[in-house]
């Protein structure tokens, strides 16, 4: 597959990405996340690390995410901006009371309710998961293709990435394949904060732009 072969060349020509740790606290955060959800997730990660409860909190958040995704009414309740913060805080406390959750998790959701951020629940949970993955040395890789790739094609891309300068020997690649017919062909590879766009649609767009500029 020509597009897979192009991944190697794209990796070699792409600029290096600086790696670092957040140093605002005594806890070393394994990745720097941006946005509101990133800041909340980082704050929770830092608090959980100090309490040696990173794994416990991660399990709690995974359970909360399952509950929210299965219960459409609960999801609408959390995302509805017309419901006041006191009512939302009471509602989320009832949800957490139905399970065995760590006090840190309960307090965190109280804070989200008080700050009017419960509608960001899933995003924050995903961001916390990203921090945990980074702490375990995992690198999430999403390969988008017009058609589903077979295991050999996925393994080839994974192999190219593993040999690149962007992945260290201590890191583990977690690869998933997403199908999007809109890219027409080729591949879009996303890992960390990098994107390698080798899709046919991207090439067509670039060609159209060049033709437009030439006219």
């Amino acid at each position: 597959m020509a597009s897979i072969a192009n991944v190697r060349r794209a990796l070699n020509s792409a600029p290096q990405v600086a790696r670092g740790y957040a140093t605002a606290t005594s806890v070393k955060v394994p990745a720097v996340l941006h946005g509101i959800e990133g800041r909340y997730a980082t704050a929770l990660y830092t608090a959980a690390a100090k309490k040696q409860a990173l794994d416990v909190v991660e399990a709690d958040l995974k359970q909360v995410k399952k509950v929210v995704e299965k219960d459409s009414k609960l999801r609408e309740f959390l995302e509805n901006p017309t419901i006041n913060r006191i009512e939302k805080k009471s509602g989320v406390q009832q949800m957490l009371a139905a399970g065995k959750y760590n006090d840190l998790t309960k307090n965190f959701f109280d804070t989200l309710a008080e700050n009017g951020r419960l509608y960001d629940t899933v995003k924050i949970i995903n961001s916390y998961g990203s921090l945990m993955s980074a702490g375990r040395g995992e690198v999430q890789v999403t390969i988008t293709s017009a058609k589903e790739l077979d295991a050999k094609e996925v393994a080839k891309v994974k192999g190219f990435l593993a040999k690149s300068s962007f992945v260290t020997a201590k890191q583990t690649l977690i690869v998933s394949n997403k199908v999007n017919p809109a890219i027409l062909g080729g591949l879009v590879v996303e890992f960390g904060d990098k994107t390698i766009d080798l899709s046919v649609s991207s090439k067509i767009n670039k060609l159209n732009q060049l033709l437009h500029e030439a006219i």
Side-chain angles (χ1 to χ4, degrees):
M1 188 174 182
S3 296
I4 293 179
N6 289 338
V7 172
R8 187 200 300 273
R9 290 195 290 272
L11 283 169
N12 291 334
S13 62
Q16 291 262 4
V17 178
R19 294 184 176 87
Y21 290 93
T23 56
T25 69
S26 59
V27 175
K28 285 189 175 181
V29 181
V32 178
L33 302 183
H34 302 286
I36 293 295
E37 63 271 18
R39 291 200 290 271
Y40 274 96
T42 300
L44 178 58
Y45 182 96
T46 301
K50 290 179 178 179
K51 295 287 187 179
Q52 297 184 335
L54 286 170
D55 293 335
V56 173
V57 170
E58 181 182 30
D60 283 352
L61 295 183
K62 285 181 177 180
Q63 181 59 32
V64 170
K65 185 178 178 179
K66 282 183 181 180
V67 173
V68 172
E69 289 179 340
K70 286 182 179 180
D71 191 334
S72 59
K73 289 185 178 180
L74 174 60
R75 185 167 61 252
E76 290 173 5
F77 172 79
L78 295 177
E79 296 175 355
N80 190 339
T82 65
I83 301 175
N84 66 61
R85 298 182 183 187
I86 296 175
E87 188 176 348
K88 280 194 173 183
K89 182 176 179 179
S90 176
V92 79
Q93 286 177 341
Q94 289 179 32
M95 177 191 73
L96 296 175
K100 295 180 180 179
Y101 293 98
N102 185 276
D103 286 342
L104 190 58
T105 303
K106 293 178 181 178
N107 292 336
F108 181 71
F109 276 98
D110 280 349
T111 300
L112 289 184
E114 291 167 0
N115 293 347
R117 289 291 173 182
L118 283 174
Y119 58 83
D120 280 328
T121 292
V122 173
K123 290 181 180 180
I124 294 170
I125 291 174
N126 290 340
S127 293
Y128 185 90
S130 295
L131 289 175
M132 291 297 292
S133 289
R136 289 189 287 261
E138 298 172 352
V139 178
Q140 301 293 329
V141 180
T142 302
I143 306 171
T144 302
S145 54
K147 296 181 179 179
E148 186 175 359
L149 301 179
D150 61 35
K152 289 184 179 179
E153 291 169 331
V154 172
K156 283 183 180 179
V157 177
K158 185 176 181 179
F160 295 150
L161 289 172
K163 294 175 183 177
S164 74
S165 59
F166 301 102
V167 180
T168 68
K170 295 181 179 180
Q171 292 178 313
T172 302
L173 297 179
I174 308 297
V175 181
S176 61
N177 179 206
K178 183 171 68 176
V179 176
N180 181 7
I183 71 170
L184 303 178
L187 300 172
V188 178
V189 182
E190 299 170 280
F191 59 104
D193 58 358
K194 292 203 65 60
T195 298
I196 300 175
D197 191 344
L198 303 171
S199 64
V200 172
S201 61
S202 175
K203 293 176 182 177
I204 291 175
N205 289 337
K206 289 178 182 178
L207 177 59
N208 287 337
Q209 184 178 354
L210 289 173
L211 290 173
H212 179 75
E213 291 173 353
I215 296 175

